[in-house]
Amino acid sequence: MSLADSQSRHDGPARGRPRSEAVERSIMEGILKLLEEGVPLAELSIERIARTAGVGKATIYRRWSGKEELFVDVVRAAEPPDPELPGTSVRDDLVVLMEQLRRRGLMTRSSVLLHNVIAQMKSSPKIWDAYHGNVVEPRRRKQHAILRRGQDNGELRTDIDVDVMNDMIFGPMLVRTVMRPDADLPEGLAEQMVDAMLEGLRPVSSRTS
Amino acid sequence: MSLADSQSRHDGPARGRPRSEAVERSIMEGILKLLEEGVPLAELSIERIARTAGVGKATIYRRWSGKEELFVDVVRAAEPPDPELPGTSVRDDLVVLMEQLRRRGLMTRSSVLLHNVIAQMKSSPKIWDAYHGNVVEPRRRKQHAILRRGQDNGELRTDIDVDVMNDMIFGPMLVRTVMRPDADLPEGLAEQMVDAMLEGLRPVSSRTS
């Protein structure tokens, strides 16, 4: 896996000193190299990462507060970047986000390395917390904002809590990508799920309203 | 945790010899005792289980094929039993199954032991596979049968694959119970989710149909 493309697409850490993308990239690629060699996450020390990347430990600590934050950046750079939202409708934005989730699921299945990295991350509570706080929570806040926009502009019902609605929309794809590694993720699934969720699973002809 | 109540509510293994519920219960309670003492699942051997329960190893092997199958029975007995379905409508059956999922989530949160047992089970691929094959898959087949009934009797749309529909209905609650241990699971959530899923998240007034 190369970070050459993905690295430029996210902002990375900001630490009050001039950044050097080349240095950051070599540090992150050093981690991937160690992981590819089968070194377990628990044995990845800042010292070993620095040695592999050919930099001093201080160079790493200037950019990341510790192993957890650094590792989360590695995962974030390896995942597809967050997509641009069309903004044409809440429905269209939801389809794009769901499609992103589907693609991330396909990528995790096809990349043994990414698969292992995520599995190891889940077994380390500190790193999982860092990933959750830095990646998952901001993503959820963005989803909530879209749903609130839909409630405001009449695209979505207002009688369901935004957090519950969020799980109703993204939960089905999450289950198929994360909990059910054998479930089909065919093209068009994102759109089908979003539309079925918006219109309901009851046949239109039998609606009493 | 006592198995006294729950044990009688499931059938347990059948092995072609007269069963003795008391023996089975003492074996399963022996496992719980070891787990409560903090013995990790990986160190639970049939020999140790037999010693704790005061039976011979052969007594265990007559009833279970091995540690995996035995352990799955322990988890199954500790979880609330599968509910009776009212059968009045597919909607009503789905609400009962979702409510069961919500209660199982609440129980896993409140029982440190059950929580730990499930976490350890997930980290053992063999036991997880046994749990999946013996508990999760039969549950999913039952759900699929209900959804097919709904497609047959006109309660559900027929243009969505039953497996996809299954994740659309149960996925949101699964996400909240399994993946988001901090998410609210208020009373009435099962009913609200099922009805919103059937009727759709779009406001009725803006439907074009």
Side-chain angles (χ1 to χ4, degrees):
Chain A
M1 187 183 334
S2 162
L3 296 174
D5 299 327
S6 52
Q7 175 62 3
S8 61
R9 295 179 305 205
H10 86 104
D11 292 325
R15 279 288 170 283
R17 288 196 185 220
R19 295 172 59 228
S20 157
E21 290 211 355
V23 171
E24 282 180 13
R25 197 175 309 142
S26 72
I27 292 167
M28 292 164 78
E29 283 182 343
I31 295 182
L32 287 179
K33 186 165 169 286
L34 289 168
L35 292 171
E36 268 166 357
E37 286 167 5
V39 178
L41 193 50
E43 288 173 25
L44 274 187
S45 62
I46 292 285
E47 188 168 353
R48 190 157 179 188
I49 294 165
R51 214 184 319 128
T52 306
V55 300
K57 277 165 55 175
T59 304
I60 295 181
Y61 280 120
R62 261 203 300 279
R63 288 166 172 81
W64 290 277
S65 66
K67 190 172 108 171
E68 290 75 26
E69 205 194 311
L70 169 52
F71 194 77
V72 167
D73 264 2
V74 171
V75 176
R76 182 154 46 185
E79 287 184 335
D82 282 354
E84 290 275 336
L85 297 179
T88 39
S89 67
V90 165
R91 181 261 176 201
D92 292 348
D93 284 0
L94 292 175
V95 169
V96 167
L97 289 177
M98 283 279 274
E99 173 63 8
Q100 158 88 346
L101 198 52
R102 186 184 75 93
R103 282 171 193 267
R104 211 156 50 219
L106 287 174
M107 200 170 156
T108 306
R109 289 181 191 183
S110 65
S111 159
V112 176
L113 179 66
L114 189 58
H115 183 85
N116 288 345
V117 163
I118 290 175
Q120 292 200 41
M121 187 166 69
K122 282 185 185 167
S123 69
S124 159
K126 267 180 86 171
I127 293 181
W128 184 245
D129 283 351
Y131 180 76
H132 214 266
N134 288 306
V135 179
V136 178
E137 274 308 318
R139 214 177 260 158
R140 194 192 312 277
R141 279 197 295 275
K142 200 194 274 180
Q143 294 165 351
H144 280 202
I146 293 171
L147 297 179
R148 268 192 295 269
R149 199 179 93 217
Q151 290 189 326
D152 289 345
N153 74 9
E155 278 189 79
L156 295 173
R157 301 163 58 149
T158 54
D159 59 339
I160 299 175
D161 178 67
V162 161
D163 190 62
V164 169
M165 206 182 256
N166 200 64
D167 286 339
M168 290 184 63
I169 291 170
F170 294 98
M173 188 70 88
L174 264 183
V175 163
R176 285 179 93 81
T177 53
V178 177
M179 297 174 70
R180 299 188 57 205
D182 297 328
D184 275 349
L185 294 175
E187 218 163 313
L189 182 64
E191 197 163 3
Q192 188 191 35
M193 279 183 163
V194 170
D195 285 335
M197 206 74 71
L198 292 174
E199 301 303 336
L201 297 179
R202 226 186 258 293
V204 174
S205 60
S206 75
R207 285 178 199 281
T208 49
S209 59
Chain B
M1 188 185 330
S2 164
L3 296 174
D5 299 327
S6 50
Q7 175 62 3
S8 60
R9 295 179 303 205
H10 86 106
D11 291 326
R15 282 286 170 285
R17 287 194 185 221
R19 295 171 60 226
S20 158
E21 290 215 353
V23 170
E24 281 179 14
R25 196 175 309 144
S26 72
I27 292 167
M28 291 165 79
E29 283 182 344
I31 294 183
L32 287 179
K33 186 165 169 286
L34 289 168
L35 292 172
E36 267 166 358
E37 286 167 4
V39 178
L41 193 49
E43 289 172 24
L44 273 188
S45 62
I46 290 286
E47 188 169 355
R48 190 158 179 185
I49 295 166
R51 215 185 318 131
T52 306
V55 300
K57 276 164 57 174
T59 305
I60 294 182
Y61 281 119
R62 260 202 301 278
R63 289 167 172 79
W64 291 276
S65 66
K67 190 172 110 170
E68 290 75 26
E69 205 194 310
L70 169 51
F71 194 75
V72 167
D73 263 2
V74 171
V75 176
R76 184 157 41 186
E79 287 185 336
D82 282 354
E84 290 276 335
L85 297 179
T88 38
S89 67
V90 166
R91 181 261 177 202
D92 292 349
D93 284 1
L94 292 175
V95 170
V96 168
L97 288 177
M98 283 278 275
E99 173 64 10
Q100 160 87 347
L101 198 51
R102 186 185 76 94
R103 282 171 194 267
R104 211 157 49 222
L106 287 174
M107 200 170 155
T108 307
R109 290 182 190 181
S110 66
S111 159
V112 176
L113 179 66
L114 190 58
H115 184 86
N116 288 345
V117 163
I118 290 174
Q120 292 199 42
M121 186 166 70
K122 282 185 184 166
S123 68
S124 159
K126 266 180 87 174
I127 293 182
W128 184 244
D129 283 352
Y131 180 76
H132 215 266
N134 289 305
V135 179
V136 178
E137 274 310 318
R139 213 177 262 158
R140 196 193 311 280
R141 279 198 295 275
K142 199 193 279 180
Q143 293 164 353
H144 280 202
I146 293 171
L147 297 179
R148 268 191 296 271
R149 200 180 93 218
Q151 289 189 327
D152 290 346
N153 74 7
E155 278 189 81
L156 295 174
R157 302 163 56 149
T158 54
D159 59 340
I160 299 176
D161 177 68
V162 161
D163 190 62
V164 169
M165 207 181 255
N166 199 64
D167 286 339
M168 289 184 63
I169 291 170
F170 294 98
M173 189 69 89
L174 265 183
V175 163
R176 285 180 93 81
T177 52
V178 178
M179 296 174 71
R180 298 187 58 205
D182 296 328
D184 275 349
L185 294 174
E187 217 164 313
L189 182 63
E191 196 163 3
Q192 187 191 34
M193 279 183 164
V194 170
D195 284 335
M197 206 74 71
L198 293 174
E199 301 303 335
L201 297 179
R202 227 187 258 292
V204 173
S205 59
S206 74
R207 285 177 199 279
T208 50
S209 58

